Amino acid sequence: MLNTQNINEIQSKEDGVNTLCAAHVAHSRSQKAQAAQGGVAAFLALGSLASAAAHSLAPWLAIASFTWIGIVELWLSRYSKKWTNLATRMQERFDRDLFQLPWTADLGNRPTDGEVARLSSLFKGDRQSKVDWYVNVRDLPLPYAILICQRENLVWDELNRSRWASMLWRLTLAWCAGGVAVALAENWTTFHLLARWFAPSTAALWLCIRSAYKHNDIASTKQRLALSVSDKISEQFPDPPSPEQSRVLMTYCETVQRRIFSLRDHPERVPQKIYWKSRSQDETAARADSEQLRTRLLDL
């Protein structure tokens, strides 16, 4: 029989909280690199407004925009990806220790205690926010507890990525519509519209479209995976499951965890403001949803 030590007690111990704090620090550095990408791209895009009035600026802004894409932005992408991977491995360490899943070499180097201590010491936020990371799964057999935690992770991130992607698409469409409106008002030709409005904002448009597409793709994949996890829970193995059924479920948990790791390891980040804006609402919904699943499983 698998060790069913309570996940909710283990996750709030010092090592778990320190690991989550370290993951947060690495994640924040990746976000700062992406914020720099977006900030400069937005500044260049706003130059379209200046070029609409001073046409001679348009070629220089276009050159700066394409140079930003070709050189600086790619360098920042590599920097962001490095910190994303570290944040992903920190979170994976937390999850695998919590779920009693072994660390394998294909996941990369497992973060050491020293790395965790160094990064967690740089955490400036509220450590209490890292306590009780996953929902209540008390009294459930370990495979069921893991599946409910994994499902919460998938659903929560899918919602945030979908929200952010939607905002990026709306921003892109609004900017394009604004350019057309200015062109019509100023009686520009198509060439003038492209040269004075879209060329200077190429970096921003490329960043928005690329990010929105990737966030949508990840969100869709996580939604499908969450539905698969829900279906597995709904199969309702006997409670507690037999040793053979536990092995089957734990193998499935490992498969899901590997997929989560792969999806986490993309550098596209959701801004913290999006996360915090909906956190209370999402947390309440996740707890109610998971408690319903837990109650149903306990009643088997």
Side-chain angles (χ1 to χ4, degrees):
M1 179 63 68
L2 292 165
N3 182 0
T4 56
Q5 185 179 0
N6 197 302
I7 282 178
N8 295 100
E9 294 174 358
I10 301 172
Q11 68 179 352
S12 297
K13 290 184 177 180
E14 184 178 6
D15 180 69
V17 172
N18 284 342
T19 304
L20 289 175
C21 289
H24 180 100
V25 172
H27 177 78
S28 295
R29 292 190 178 183
S30 176
Q31 285 181 316
K32 287 177 181 177
Q34 293 206 349
Q37 289 174 286
V40 175
F43 176 79
L44 292 172
L46 291 176
S48 299
L49 299 175
S51 67
H55 301 165
S56 61
L57 291 175
W60 298 105
L61 289 169
I63 291 171
S65 187
F66 282 103
T67 301
W68 176 254
I69 293 174
I71 302 176
V72 184
E73 201 269 350
L74 292 177
W75 178 81
L76 281 173
S77 292
R78 287 195 294 270
Y79 178 86
S80 175
K81 187 168 180 59
K82 180 187 78 170
W83 285 104
T84 295
N85 180 258
L86 180 56
T88 298
R89 287 185 289 112
M90 287 287 183
Q91 183 69 49
E92 191 69 10
R93 167 180 159 141
F94 174 80
D95 284 350
R96 286 184 173 270
D97 287 352
L98 192 63
F99 301 156
Q100 301 175 40
L101 297 173
W103 188 279
T104 54
D106 59 301
L107 298 172
N109 294 328
R110 173 185 163 90
T112 65
D113 292 343
E115 287 178 302
V116 170
R118 179 176 62 83
L119 282 182
S120 65
S121 68
L122 300 176
F123 180 72
K124 305 301 182 184
D126 179 13
R127 291 178 64 88
Q128 194 62 31
S129 66
K130 306 303 180 184
V131 174
D132 293 331
W133 188 253
Y134 287 116
V135 292
N136 179 20
V137 289
R138 288 178 174 84
D139 304 320
L140 289 174
L142 182 61
Y144 287 137
I146 294 173
L147 288 173
I148 288 179
C149 291
Q150 289 175 327
R151 181 181 177 279
E152 180 203 7
N153 184 298
L154 291 163
V155 170
W156 198 321
D157 193 53
E158 182 268 324
L159 286 172
N160 281 306
R161 286 185 183 275
S162 294
R163 289 170 184 142
W164 179 231
S166 179
M167 290 180 64
L168 290 173
W169 284 125
R170 289 198 298 269
L171 181 62
T172 300
L173 290 174
W175 185 258
C176 291
V180 173
V182 170
L184 292 174
E186 297 293 325
N187 199 27
W188 287 351
T189 65
T190 301
F191 173 79
H192 289 151
L193 172 62
L194 294 174
R196 297 171 185 172
W197 189 268
F198 287 112
S201 58
T202 297
L205 290 172
W206 180 75
L207 184 61
C208 282
I209 292 171
R210 183 194 67 182
S211 297
Y213 176 81
K214 193 62 184 180
H215 280 296
N216 270 338
D217 183 54
I218 294 173
S220 297
T221 303
K222 289 200 168 189
Q223 184 182 53
R224 291 192 296 270
L225 188 55
L227 289 173
S228 174
V229 172
S230 295
D231 289 342
K232 181 62 70 174
I233 294 172
S234 296
E235 288 179 6
Q236 298 183 345
F237 285 95
D239 187 20
S242 68
E244 178 59 30
Q245 288 162 339
S246 290
R247 283 192 290 272
V248 171
L249 282 171
M250 289 301 290
T251 298
Y252 178 76
C253 290
E254 171 67 31
T255 301
V256 172
Q257 190 62 33
R258 285 182 177 278
R259 195 72 185 102
I260 290 174
F261 177 88
S262 175
L263 292 169
R264 278 176 178 157
D265 201 29
H266 288 280
E268 285 74 21
R269 305 284 91 187
V270 176
Q272 283 291 317
K273 288 184 179 179
I274 302 298
Y275 168 79
W276 284 107
K277 182 180 179 181
S278 304
R279 176 175 176 173
S280 179
Q281 175 186 345
D282 291 345
E283 205 167 58
T284 300
R287 285 176 176 170
D289 199 20
S290 298
E291 188 61 31
Q292 184 179 30
L293 284 172
R294 175 176 171 270
T295 301
R296 194 179 75 192
L297 290 168
L298 289 174
D299 288 343
L300 289 178

